[in-house]
Amino acid sequence: MSVETEPAEVPYVDVVVVGAGFAGLRALYTLRECGFTVAVLDESDDIGGVWYWNRYPGARCDVESFDYSYAFSEELEQEWRWSERYATQPEILRYINHVADRFGLRSDIHCSQQVRRAAYDDEAHLWTVQTDTGGHWISRFLILAVGQLSTTKAPDLPGTDDFTGAIYHSARWPQEGVEFAGKRVGVVGTGSSGTQMIPIVAQQAEHLTVFQRTPNYSIPANNAPITDERDEQVKAGYRERRRKALDTPSGLGFTPNKTSALEATPEEREQTFEQAWPTAGFGFVLAFPDLLISQEANDHVSEFVRKKIAEKVRDPVVREKLMPRDHPFGTKRPPVDSGYFETFNRDNVELVDIRKDPIDAITATGILTAGGHHDLDIIVFATGFDAMTGSLLRPEIIGSGERTLVEKWADGPQTYLGLGVHGFPNMFIIAGPQSPSLLSNVLLSIEQHVDWLAALLVHARDHGIEEIEAEAEAERRWVEHVRERAEQTLYPKARSYYMGDDVASKPRVFTPYVGGVRGYRRTLERVVADGYDGFALKERTSGSETSSADAAALAAQGLQTR
Ligand code: NAP
C-alpha cells in the first residue's frame, strides 16, 4: 500500500499559553470557560512551574496560604484545607495538581515542550509556536505565563567542572532529594531560598559553610499549623478577605498604618514595629506607609531589624558579618525566615563573607576563597534567577516586521500596562515586567491579569477584532510612568533584581510596577471604560478573514514554515 506524504497537520488553537504554573493553569481554566480553545505548553515534564522545581529543603511560600491560593472558585476555596500558615512546596504542588484534576485541565497541557520560537504573521494575524521537541502550534493569541523567577543563574566560577562532589541549584532540586547527613555542605547565596534552606541543612549536615555576598534583612515567619477554628473563621469570611486584598497596595490584605513613621514618637514607632514584627510576616514592610519612600523613615526600620538580628546571634564577629548596612530595608526582597539567624549559633555552621574574602575558584574538593580552602562534599547554589525578563527573552519571539523581543527590550522592558507590547500584536504577558507582579501577592495579580485578558479576548471575538496591539504612545507613557513611580521610592538605592542587577548584562532599570495592586486595578478599569484605551483593535476585513476554522486551513497551507 502506498502512503501519501501529506504536510504534517499543525494544530490550531485560539490561544497558546506558555507555562503550566499558577498563571498558565488559571489562564487555561478561564479561557476555556469563555469558549476559547487553548494549548498550554511547558518545558517541564509536569505541571507546577516554580513549585515543581523549587524542592529544596525548607521551601515554602512566604505569603499566607489563605492568600496564596486561587480565588476564582468558591468551592475550591472551601474544600481545600491548608495545613500551615505558610504552606510548604509539597503542599502547594499538591494543591496545583488538585486544581488541574478538579477542573479537568490536563488534557490541554503539553509538558516537555520548551518553546524555542514564536513568530507573528502580519498578514494572517496569527502566531506560530515551535518547541524543542518538534511541537508546533498555530494560534490567534499568545500568552506568556512563564513566571518571574524561572530561569536560574549560578556563578561562573573557574574549576566548577573539577569538583568531585555534587553541585545543586536551589531551583533545580532533584526529585529524589539530597542526603546531607555526614556531609560537608557549602551554600552560596543568602536570599529567600538560601535563608529558608540554611537552617534545615545545618540540622542535617555534618558541617555547613554559608558563603554570603550581601547580608540580608529578614522577617520572622512565625509559621504555625492552621487550627480548625482558624480555618473555619477564614472560610466564613473568604469573600471579604479577597475583596479587601484587592483593595490594598500589596494584594496581601495589609493596610498600611495611615501615619508617617516620622510623625510617630520614638515610642509609638517602636511599639508599631514590635507589634508587627512577630505577626505581619512580609507585611512588616508596610508597618508605616513611608518606609520605602523616606530614607529617614527607613533608617528607623532598618535599625529596628538590625537590633532584632543582633539579639539572635551570639558571636560578635559573626553578628557583625550578618548586619545588613548597604541598602535600605525592603529595597531588596526581604526573606521571611524560620530560625535563620539563630542557625549561626550552631557549632557546625560557619559564615564566610565573600565580599571581604572572595571566592577564587572551585576545586576538586571544595571552594577556595582568598582566606583559604573550604572542604566540601556538596555545593548548593542558592544564587537566584535571571529575574522577571529571563524567561520571556529565552525563546526567540518575533513580532511584527520580524523584530525580536530581545531587540525591542535591549534597553529594558517596554510594555503597555505590563500586559501588551507594541510591535507584538496578539501577545500578552501575565504578571510580567511593569505590572505589580513581584511587588504584590503574585497569585492575586495573576488572576487579575487573566480575568482582564479573558474579557479583552471575548470583546475581540464579539466585535470581529482579529488583532490587538499596544499603541506606541500608550506604551511610551506607561514605561515613563513606571520609571517615575519607582524614582519616588528608595528601591533604586539597592542592587537588586528589581533593578536588573541580577545579571551583569542587563540594563539597570526598575522592572516591576510600584503603583500597587489597588492603583493598578483602577488603571485597568479605566482602560476598559475608555474602550480599551491604548490598544489598537483591528477589525477583521473580508480579505483578511481568518476565523478559527480558516486558521486551521491556513496552517496546512504552509504558514508553519515560517
Ligand atoms: P535571590 O533573592 O536573588 O538571592 C540570591 C542570593 O545569591 C543572594 O544572596 C545573592 O547575593 C547571591 N548571589 C547571586 N549571585 C551570586 C554570585 N555570583 N556569587 C555569590 N553570591 C551570589 O534568589 P532566591 O533566594 O532564589 O530568591 C529569589 C526570589 O524568589 C525571592 O526574592 C522571592 O521573591 C522568591 N522566593 C520566594 C520564596 C518564598 O515564598 N518563601 C522562597 C524562595 C524564593 P546578592 O544579594 O549580593 O545579589
Side-chain angles (χ1 to χ4, degrees):
M1 194 174 81
S2 72
V3 179
E4 293 250 25
T5 43
E6 295 277 331
E9 199 169 305
V10 179
Y12 171 84
V13 286
D14 297 321
V15 190
V16 162
V17 175
V18 187
F22 268 114
L25 264 55
R26 176 62 155 85
L28 171 56
Y29 170 79
T30 303
L31 292 167
R32 260 191 192 174
E33 289 287 293
C34 295
F36 294 108
T37 53
V38 185
V40 177
L41 313 180
D42 197 292
E43 64 184 303
S44 313
D45 59 16
D46 207 345
I47 63 170
V50 292
W51 295 107
Y52 174 81
W53 287 108
N54 284 265
R55 295 163 188 262
Y56 60 83
R60 61 172 79 236
C61 186
D62 55 14
V63 172
E64 285 199 48
S65 316
F66 286 121
D67 303 309
Y68 195 82
S69 54
Y70 288 122
F72 69 84
S73 160
E74 286 189 44
E75 294 77 24
L76 172 67
E77 233 168 38
Q78 293 296 324
E79 76 198 12
W80 185 262
R81 176 68 166 87
W82 292 108
S83 67
E84 292 177 86
R85 181 180 182 201
Y86 297 107
T88 59
Q89 175 272 336
E91 188 169 13
I92 296 171
L93 194 57
R94 275 201 302 281
Y95 173 78
I96 292 172
N97 277 282
H98 169 75
V99 171
D101 293 332
R102 192 190 190 291
F103 297 101
L105 301 180
R106 290 188 200 271
S107 55
D108 286 328
I109 301 174
H110 307 268
C111 287
S112 303
Q113 298 281 351
Q114 186 183 76
V115 172
R116 280 282 164 82
R117 189 171 192 270
Y120 188 67
D121 188 294
D122 280 317
E123 282 163 30
H125 308 299
L126 294 170
W127 283 93
T128 62
V129 180
Q130 288 164 285
T131 68
D132 58 339
T133 44
H136 203 160
W137 280 263
I138 291 192
S139 65
R140 172 74 65 213
F141 299 104
L142 175 66
I143 293 187
L144 303 172
V146 293
Q148 307 75 26
L149 300 158
S150 310
T151 299
T152 60
K153 74 178 170 66
D156 184 16
L157 291 166
T160 305
D161 292 340
D162 301 336
F163 186 59
T164 51
I167 298 184
Y168 303 100
H169 191 288
S170 55
R172 285 291 177 274
W173 206 254
Q175 300 232 14
E176 64 279 12
V178 175
E179 182 58 65
F180 291 113
K183 303 277 198 249
R184 295 159 305 175
V185 182
V187 174
V188 183
T190 55
S192 294
S193 304
T195 303
Q196 284 186 333
M197 171 192 313
I198 283 163
I200 312 236
V201 177
Q203 287 164 23
Q204 297 174 3
E206 180 185 305
H207 189 267
L208 170 64
T209 310
V210 175
F211 297 87
Q212 170 195 269
R213 189 164 69 179
T214 306
N216 233 335
Y217 300 93
S218 181
I219 304 160
N222 283 314
N223 186 36
I226 294 172
T227 60
D228 287 342
E229 194 188 357
R230 175 77 181 138
D231 187 59
E232 280 162 27
Q233 183 197 23
V234 171
K235 284 178 176 169
Y238 227 144
R239 291 294 88 206
E240 178 57 15
R241 186 180 177 103
R242 302 289 199 187
R243 195 205 54 72
K244 207 173 139 200
L246 268 173
D247 224 16
T248 55
S250 62
L252 289 164
F254 303 112
T255 311
N257 209 323
K258 291 270 183 288
T259 52
S260 153
L262 302 177
E263 284 167 21
T265 64
E267 294 73 27
E268 285 164 350
R269 235 180 353 247
E270 194 71 5
Q271 195 187 9
T272 301
F273 290 149
E274 283 291 356
Q275 269 172 4
W277 186 245
T279 53
F282 194 61
F284 184 74
V285 294
L286 299 170
F288 286 101
D290 50 352
L291 296 181
L292 292 169
I293 295 168
S294 152
Q295 182 62 57
E296 195 184 343
N298 193 285
D299 288 344
H300 291 297
V301 73
S302 296
E303 195 48 41
F304 176 86
V305 181
R306 282 193 288 267
K307 188 184 77 182
K308 289 292 182 193
I309 296 171
E311 287 168 6
K312 293 177 188 172
V313 184
R314 285 198 295 270
D315 183 311
V317 177
V318 177
R319 191 191 302 149
E320 190 47 35
K321 279 188 198 172
L322 287 165
M323 282 302 154
R325 296 192 196 280
D326 74 340
H327 63 283
F329 168 75
T331 53
K332 281 165 86 86
R333 165 69 146 78
V336 176
D337 75 281
S338 298
Y340 173 68
F341 294 106
E342 294 86 340
T343 298
F344 294 94
N345 295 329
R346 294 178 65 103
D347 292 338
N348 69 334
V349 177
E350 183 187 351
L351 179 64
V352 179
D353 173 354
I354 61 170
R355 283 213 196 278
K356 293 203 173 118
D357 181 8
I359 297 178
D360 287 336
I362 294 186
T363 68
T365 55
I367 291 183
L368 181 67
T369 66
H373 191 266
H374 302 270
D375 296 339
L376 301 169
D377 304 305
I378 295 174
I379 296 173
V380 177
F381 289 123
T383 44
F385 304 88
D386 180 347
M388 306 210 64
T389 52
S391 300
L392 292 166
L393 296 176
R394 203 153 40 108
E396 189 186 22
I397 298 182
I398 307 167
S400 238
E402 303 284 323
R403 193 173 186 208
T404 67
L405 195 58
V406 170
E407 287 162 355
K408 162 97 189 188
W409 285 6
D411 296 327
Q414 294 177 59
T415 72
Y416 176 44
L417 303 169
L419 279 163
V421 182
H422 177 66
F424 294 78
N426 291 356
M427 181 188 93
F428 304 99
I429 304 168
I430 307 283
Q434 299 175 341
S435 75
S437 179
L438 292 180
L439 292 180
S440 68
N441 172 4
V442 79
L443 206 42
L444 176 146
S445 288
I446 284 170
E447 296 205 87
Q448 182 185 42
H449 266 179
V450 170
D451 288 336
W452 194 90
L453 275 177
L456 172 59
L457 300 198
V458 167
H459 174 86
R461 185 179 59 199
D462 293 350
H463 293 82
I465 290 158
E466 65 177 6
E467 187 175 85
I468 305 167
E469 182 180 5
E471 289 170 351
E473 178 54 20
E475 179 177 278
R476 192 198 60 72
R477 275 188 275 115
W478 183 254
V479 172
E480 184 58 15
H481 174 63
V482 170
R483 190 187 61 75
E484 274 173 7
R485 289 301 302 262
E487 281 176 4
Q488 291 160 2
T489 72
L490 301 175
Y491 282 109
K493 291 196 169 192
R495 292 189 59 77
S496 72
Y497 65 67
Y498 297 141
M499 288 299 302
D501 294 311
D502 46 329
V503 175
S505 57
K506 272 188 183 180
R508 192 162 198 272
V509 289
F510 190 78
T511 308
Y513 176 54
V514 293
V517 164
R518 182 178 43 200
Y520 182 73
R521 176 171 60 78
R522 289 179 183 151
T523 301
L524 291 185
E525 286 167 359
R526 185 195 53 73
V527 168
V528 177
D530 292 348
Y532 290 103
D533 182 29
F535 284 99
L537 306 179
K538 202 180 279 178
E539 283 180 26
R540 192 177 296 148
T541 57
S542 53
S544 71
E545 193 133 330
T546 45
S547 63
S548 306
D550 299 335
L554 263 173
Q557 286 168 25
L559 188 62
Q560 72 270 29
T561 55
R562 279 207 51 181

